[in-house]
Amino acid sequence: MAPPWPPPTGASLRVGGLRVPSGVSEPPRDFHEARGAGGKSQQGWIWDPESPEDDDRKVRRREKNRVAAQRSRKKQTQKADKLHEEYECLEQENTMLRREIGKLTEELKHLTEALKEHEKMCPLLLCPLNFVPVPPRPDPVASCLPR
């Protein structure tokens, strides 16, 4: 005996591998009519594969997708680990450079103070003759060259 047509409100009915949604006045004549020219479902008709080949294809596709997702996550984790290692190396280098800057700053202060103390007693800076302009000496090499 054939099921009632149209199906009762809220019920769905299977017709040749197609699930017929409620509220549809007539079922499609074949799969292509249900899917339309572009292969997309029309009027709520849904192709429900029941063949073992389709199930195997689904399982293979899901497994392939799962493996690809694992590979992607692993690659992302490796990239994050590499960035973290690079960050740590740069932090260490930054710390070393800051220490070196501190040491050089201290050395500059020390040498500046030593120079100021030396200027107070330097005989060359205290002698008034050192500030007399001296005429330039002739270059000994220039006098030997032909004119």
Side-chain angles (χ1 to χ4, degrees):
M1 180 174 161
W5 196 261
T9 306
S12 66
L13 177 70
R14 285 193 185 277
V15 177
L18 293 176
R19 188 166 25 120
V20 180
S22 62
V24 175
S25 59
E26 64 180 61
R29 287 185 286 276
D30 63 5
F31 171 71
H32 297 289
E33 184 180 321
R35 298 293 285 189
K40 294 181 180 175
S41 178
Q42 294 178 347
Q43 298 177 350
W45 295 99
I46 301 167
W47 176 249
D48 194 13
E50 294 181 8
S51 69
E53 296 87 24
D54 290 338
D55 289 343
D56 289 344
R57 202 174 313 141
K58 261 187 184 177
V59 169
R60 283 193 307 269
R61 189 179 71 232
R62 284 183 182 158
E63 177 66 19
K64 191 175 177 182
N65 188 27
R66 185 181 64 79
V67 170
Q70 284 177 337
R71 198 177 326 121
S72 175
R73 285 189 293 269
K74 184 178 179 181
K75 187 176 176 182
Q76 193 174 16
T77 302
Q78 289 173 340
K79 186 177 179 182
D81 290 345
K82 183 179 176 183
L83 284 173
H84 186 70
E85 287 175 14
E86 186 178 342
Y87 166 79
E88 287 180 347
C89 288
L90 289 172
E91 281 292 325
Q92 288 176 357
E93 184 180 357
N94 192 14
T95 302
M96 285 179 8
L97 290 172
R98 287 182 189 274
R99 284 185 193 140
E100 186 176 352
I101 288 171
K103 289 177 183 177
L104 291 172
T105 304
E106 288 298 316
E107 185 179 358
L108 176 64
K109 286 179 187 176
H110 173 72
L111 291 174
T112 303
E113 289 174 13
L115 181 61
K116 284 181 182 178
E117 290 297 317
H118 177 75
E119 285 175 347
K120 293 177 186 176
M121 60 182 188
C122 179
L124 296 175
L125 293 175
L126 295 175
C127 179
L129 294 177
N130 287 332
F131 296 109
V132 177
V134 178
R137 293 184 186 171
D139 188 10
V141 176
S143 63
C144 295
L145 295 174
R147 293 183 192 184

